[in-house]
Amino acid sequence: MQDTGWLGWIWFAGIMMIVMGAFNAIEGLVGLFRGEYYVANGEQVIVFDLTTWGWITLLLGVLVALAGAALLSGAAWARVLTVILAAVNAVAQLAFVSVHPVWSTIVITLCVLVIWAVVVHGSEAAATLESSSR
């Protein structure tokens, strides 16, 4: 199969997952070490206290970044994992929307773009990888 211009969307998705993962990890670290920065209504963001939320966000950030790196390899399992983690990340940002509404909206939009790119154009990455290995 010949490379198409749409293959760039998979690269975009992988790089955005790495960037979003890094930002999530930073958000989690800030929640852990400087929790007062995020306090909107008392000591809780939705259900968890800020320490728990910080650990969850940090772990999610690491997983999202690793999924983005794996996506760049073209593996089918990485596409599935990327879609799942992008959806989880988008939902997790809803807990953050009361603290930083603009940032959460941007991240949710990027998650939707990543999901779209992987679902619509993921097979092109696999086909290109197969043709290059021959």
Side-chain angles (χ1 to χ4, degrees):
M1 179 174 213
Q2 187 177 19
D3 287 351
T4 68
W6 295 109
L7 184 60
W9 277 101
I10 298 303
W11 281 92
F12 168 81
I15 292 167
M16 282 294 96
M17 287 290 284
I18 293 169
V19 170
M20 285 188 296
F23 286 161
N24 280 357
I26 292 168
E27 288 174 4
L29 289 172
V30 170
L32 287 171
F33 296 114
R34 198 166 161 230
E36 68 276 0
Y37 182 79
Y38 290 136
V39 175
N41 298 328
E43 285 292 318
Q44 296 186 352
V45 177
I46 299 283
V47 177
F48 305 109
D49 64 31
L50 285 170
T51 303
T52 305
W53 180 82
W55 279 111
I56 290 169
T57 306
L58 177 62
L59 178 63
L60 181 61
V62 170
L63 291 174
V64 167
L66 290 174
L71 181 63
L72 296 177
S73 74
W77 64 266
R79 295 193 314 259
V80 172
L81 185 63
T82 297
V83 169
I84 291 168
L85 286 176
V88 168
N89 191 30
V91 172
Q93 288 298 319
L94 289 176
F96 200 59
V97 80
S98 64
V99 179
H100 289 292
V102 175
W103 174 250
S104 292
T105 304
I106 290 169
V107 173
I108 291 168
T109 303
L110 286 173
C111 288
V112 170
L113 279 172
V114 164
I115 292 169
W116 174 81
V118 172
V119 169
V120 174
H121 301 293
S123 60
E124 293 175 31
T128 302
L129 200 81
E130 287 175 13
S131 68
S132 68
S133 66
R134 291 180 193 171

